Amino acid sequence: AEPMVQKHLESLQSSCGNGLETGALQRLTNLLLVEGLTDLQQKEHDILQVETTKGLPSTSKSIPLEKLFLPLSKVSIPPRISVTVGVAGIGKSTLVKLFVCSWAKGEISRDILLVLPLTFKELNTHEKLSAECLLCLACPHTTAPGSVPARAARTLLILDGLDEFKTPLDFSNAVVCTDPKKEIQVDNLITNIIRGNLLQEASVWVTSRPAAAGQIPSGLVDRMTEIRGLGAAEMKDFLEQMFLDNRDLSSQVLQHIRANRSLQVLCTIPGFCKISASSIAYFLKHSNDQSQEATVVPRTLSEIYSYYFKMALSGDWLEKPREALKIEQAVNTSKKLVGSLGRLAFYGLLRRKHVFYEQDMKAYGIDLSLLHSCLSTRLLLKEDMPASTAYYFSHLTIQEFLAALYYYTAAKRAIFDLFVESGVSWPKLGFLSHFRNAVQRALQAEDGQLDIFMRFLSGLLSPPVNRLLSGWLLLKDEHGGWHSQAVDALQGCLQAEHAVSWRAVNAMRCLHELQHTDTAQAVEEAMRSGTLAGMLTPTNCSALAYLLQVSDVCLEETNLSNCLTYNVCKRLLSQLLFCHSLRLDNNQFKDDVMELLGSVLSGKDCQIQRLR
């Protein structure tokens, strides 16, 4: 088997070596060692998770990459099933590439004889497989199915991107299979491998976004790790790498990111940081040739993504001057493409589908020959695999923005419920009735999967975004009468009777995208002047929960002295968990409140470090 392994090593080095910039990888050589998934990770949107935890690591325990598959102590055994989680765009696939490349060069984990990397994108293209065929897929240089050594000599099977798998894993009803030659449904094959019915000698490493990782019963996971986001110094390095030839631009972009706390938190995600930085840089380069009204630096998500799309549509990546006519043609082609990609993005989002194949593209009328224009590399990536080609958006938020653009445009002329793709629904007429429907659907989505889509949809109604995109993706001043009614629809989500939900906090963020900030400003002012007492109606509680995440008033310490009652405390409990330093003195608390606080402090998600 020696020449076979040698060939395998060479092929791994050539396939994993490209696209790894050394500077940005230091962060990935140390992972956080976590006990399991928190409630927040299991139930909320990736972006909300980062906003709530303010992009800070959840634990101080870490493990170096080279020890990831070693026992933690002299008496324990190496983990058989390891799971690494991380939000969209944090670098899970990059981590796998880094590991595989380092292993193939003989730099780490030399006790592992064979590393077999597979992606769920690729597994999606198969209906049935046997365990032996699975190994052959990962190591195509084998001559016969039986020749992949799955003996006690350690083999590591890597399964990257569980969140991209087309079938949910069902551990409670999976049929047991112990025959490595038997072809079974791929999802069943994976559950049997994880349970140890198949390939029990091999170690398995699964990477996934947090919510999808919850499909694997925690009792089967021997080691769980998490990828941490960019720290302050790393963010600076990351931007310097992005704008290598322009130090000045990189420090200007960094200044803008640091001046906006919400943005700075999200920029701990490299995938998001890249989009924001490109967008701000594009704005800065073009701010001289814009009219006065447009010279405000993009602050909301919708403004950032509007600039990003404008840049993608005009093909403004290269510094080369291009003829106006060519730009005009490119823009028109791109607009058509954005329309059909938007529909794909929207219905994909509803089905939790983030990877698309050629048949999906054809079904949505996307012209594959157009996809190779400048637009696509920034919005859509493709990956060629032995059996087919996979297409996916360059970041989850790009899919969500396109989905919102599609919905916004379609809602103006649709006469049926857009959430029902095929089949009959009650008639729905007029943009606002579709907008309210989206608000309701987002409230009902149990894991906040429509939260960011909703922020973008709201943002498209804000005057600055409308100005930015008018003539590109929107018609000029068409939203005139909808703004105030959209505000009303969103404010309807704030009046929680019992507890402030994440959906209410998201509705506050939607209002921020719409540039309607009255409620938040009034509550923030009261916090500054210490006059919150008696103000905390259900709506203002939602505003306060939102401010706990974004306001500079809460940066060093959250001061809620003299203003809490039992009911208000109960409403805010789920949000107070994430305040690092909390002042609650001079509130006339009785025992029942103390019980509430006790339950919070012992919770798994609790991040309170100082309490007065």
Side-chain angles (χ1 to χ4, degrees):
E2 272 311 299
M4 175 198 93
V5 173
Q6 195 46 46
K7 220 168 160 184
H8 181 58
L9 284 177
E10 284 160 17
S11 108
L12 287 183
Q13 281 185 34
S14 69
S15 67
C16 288
N18 50 17
L20 289 177
E21 312 103 7
T22 41
L25 298 177
Q26 197 44 46
R27 171 182 66 97
L28 297 175
T29 55
N30 248 321
L31 300 178
L32 301 172
L33 195 57
V34 291
E35 292 294 320
L37 296 170
T38 62
D39 280 355
L40 190 67
Q41 286 177 313
Q42 287 178 22
K43 294 182 184 147
E44 297 304 328
H45 191 293
D46 293 26
I47 294 281
L48 239 89
Q49 294 174 28
V50 175
E51 287 171 336
T52 306
T53 57
K54 305 185 180 68
L56 298 167
S58 53
T59 166
S60 52
K61 278 192 244 166
S62 68
I63 184 168
L65 186 57
E66 66 264 20
K67 295 191 174 164
L68 192 54
F69 304 105
L70 293 177
L72 281 180
S73 68
K74 285 197 169 72
V75 288
S76 52
I77 53 171
R80 183 177 169 267
I81 303 293
S82 301
V83 175
T84 296
V85 296
V87 295
I90 199 98
K92 298 178 291 297
S93 299
T94 311
L95 171 71
V96 168
K97 268 187 171 176
L98 175 69
F99 176 83
V100 170
C101 204
S102 309
W103 174 81
K105 288 180 186 157
E107 293 166 2
I108 57 174
S109 299
R110 299 173 78 158
D111 57 315
I112 295 175
L113 281 198
L114 199 57
V115 168
L116 303 171
L118 278 171
T119 64
F120 280 96
K121 284 190 192 86
E122 192 177 339
L123 293 178
N124 282 340
T125 60
H126 300 271
E127 286 306 317
K128 288 186 156 190
L129 281 173
S130 67
E132 282 186 354
C133 290
L134 181 82
L135 296 178
C136 295
L137 269 184
C139 185
H141 310 283
T142 53
T143 39
S147 60
V148 175
R151 301 184 307 278
R154 286 188 72 191
T155 300
L156 174 67
L157 175 65
I158 302 177
L159 301 170
D160 183 30
L162 174 59
D163 48 283
E164 296 173 329
F165 194 33
K166 64 180 178 185
T167 330
L169 297 182
D170 180 359
F171 280 85
S172 39
N173 300 311
V175 183
V176 173
C177 171
T178 51
D179 176 1
K181 289 184 166 51
K182 184 179 176 182
E183 287 208 344
I184 53 176
Q185 296 283 351
V186 177
D187 56 319
N188 208 348
L189 176 64
I190 301 299
T191 51
N192 274 291
I193 289 173
I194 290 176
R195 276 209 183 281
N197 300 326
L198 288 166
L199 309 182
Q200 54 270 67
E201 298 292 351
S203 300
V204 182
W205 181 24
V206 180
T207 70
S208 175
R209 282 170 52 199
Q215 298 175 70
I216 305 176
S218 54
L220 296 176
V221 179
D222 301 308
R223 180 167 301 171
M224 186 173 273
T225 50
E226 191 177 325
I227 299 181
R228 62 185 180 79
L230 298 167
E234 288 163 333
M235 196 180 295
K236 185 169 180 283
D237 291 347
F238 184 82
L239 294 173
E240 281 170 4
Q241 292 260 261
M242 257 185 88
F243 305 108
L244 266 179
D245 49 348
N246 194 337
R247 269 291 167 76
D248 221 23
L249 185 60
S250 121
S251 65
Q252 275 182 292
V253 169
L254 184 62
Q255 260 177 316
H256 284 296
I257 290 173
R258 286 191 174 155
N260 179 342
R261 187 165 170 220
S262 305
L263 188 57
Q264 190 180 351
V265 163
L266 288 181
C267 281
T268 56
I269 310 170
F272 181 89
C273 190
K274 198 170 183 175
I275 293 170
S276 298
S278 313
S279 178
I280 293 170
Y282 173 75
F283 166 82
L284 292 170
K285 277 191 226 159
H286 290 267
S287 54
N288 312 335
D289 52 357
Q290 288 174 1
S291 58
Q292 274 322 129
E293 59 174 1
T295 48
V296 186
V297 181
R299 286 183 65 82
T300 66
L301 281 187
S302 311
E303 286 170 3
I304 287 166
Y305 280 68
S306 299
Y307 273 110
Y308 188 79
F309 269 67
K310 209 165 170 170
M311 174 172 64
L313 289 181
S314 57
D316 194 67
W317 308 102
L318 314 159
E319 294 296 308
K320 290 191 301 230
R322 297 166 56 166
E323 301 105 74
L325 185 70
K326 277 207 173 142
I327 289 187
E328 185 73 12
Q329 286 170 344
V331 167
N332 286 332
T333 310
S334 301
K335 277 186 194 167
K336 277 190 207 133
L337 199 54
V338 165
S340 45
L341 278 178
R343 212 175 126 235
L344 175 85
F346 178 66
Y347 290 107
L349 191 61
L350 296 188
R351 297 196 182 98
R352 299 165 196 277
K353 184 172 166 125
H354 307 292
V355 182
F356 307 92
Y357 299 86
E358 278 167 21
Q359 65 271 26
D360 299 310
M361 296 308 216
K362 291 201 177 91
Y364 282 87
I366 292 162
D367 182 345
L368 292 175
S369 62
L370 291 181
L371 276 182
H372 309 302
S373 66
C374 61
L375 161 76
S376 61
T377 51
R378 294 292 158 158
L379 305 184
L380 201 68
L381 303 172
K382 59 182 268 206
E383 197 171 300
D384 293 311
M385 294 176 303
S388 69
T389 303
Y391 296 90
Y392 51 100
F393 293 98
S394 54
H395 189 252
L396 172 65
T397 49
I398 296 280
Q399 179 173 354
E400 291 165 320
F401 185 78
L402 267 166
L405 265 177
Y406 162 75
Y407 191 85
Y408 180 92
T409 317
K412 288 176 300 200
R413 44 171 201 277
I415 51 175
F416 291 112
D417 185 347
L418 286 163
F419 281 83
V420 183
E421 185 175 14
S422 46
V424 186
S425 74
W426 289 100
K428 270 197 190 319
L429 290 170
F431 178 84
L432 283 165
S433 103
H434 287 288
F435 184 83
R436 289 188 195 104
N437 184 34
V439 170
Q440 283 313 308
R441 296 272 186 167
L443 279 179
Q444 287 154 12
E446 69 275 7
D447 54 359
Q449 85 186 89
L450 297 175
D451 281 0
I452 305 301
F453 159 79
M454 220 32 245
R455 286 192 211 175
F456 285 136
L457 184 60
S458 308
L460 289 171
L461 288 171
S462 78
V465 168
N466 212 265
R467 272 199 302 273
L468 253 178
L469 295 180
S470 68
W472 286 75
L473 300 169
L474 310 176
L475 302 171
K476 205 164 178 64
D477 293 331
E478 54 177 358
H479 69 294
W482 301 333
H483 190 275
S484 63
Q485 283 144 300
V487 166
D488 292 344
L490 289 166
Q491 285 192 315
C493 308
L494 304 178
Q495 286 138 26
E497 282 314 301
H498 308 298
V500 174
S501 69
W502 297 108
R503 301 292 75 71
V505 175
N506 195 61
M508 284 299 303
R509 288 189 180 266
C510 291
L511 287 166
H512 175 70
E513 292 291 327
L514 252 174
Q515 317 228 340
H516 176 87
T517 51
D518 307 3
T519 316
Q521 277 172 341
V523 175
E524 187 170 38
E525 212 26 68
M527 281 184 86
R528 275 208 171 86
S529 56
T531 53
L532 265 180
M535 246 186 92
L536 292 173
T537 59
T539 299
N540 286 347
C541 276
S542 299
L544 178 57
Y546 159 72
L547 290 167
L548 294 178
Q549 293 180 11
V550 302
S551 169
D552 290 337
V553 182
C554 309
L555 195 55
E556 295 302 318
E557 177 177 68
T558 304
N559 183 358
L560 297 176
S561 312
N562 291 319
C563 63
L564 297 184
T565 62
Y566 175 72
N567 283 338
V568 169
C569 209
K570 201 169 172 180
R571 263 192 210 119
L572 285 170
L573 264 194
S574 59
Q575 313 293 323
L576 292 175
L577 281 176
F578 299 98
C579 299
H580 286 223
S581 176
L582 194 54
R583 269 186 75 174
L584 302 174
D585 34 356
N586 296 339
N587 288 305
Q588 308 304 309
F589 285 158
K590 301 196 173 64
D591 293 350
D592 45 9
V593 178
M594 288 317 192
E595 262 171 56
L596 277 182
L597 285 174
S599 69
V600 167
L601 289 169
S602 56
K604 187 155 69 169
D605 282 2
C606 183
Q607 291 191 359
I608 300 173
Q609 287 160 10
R610 288 214 321 276
L611 181 62
R612 272 173 60 170

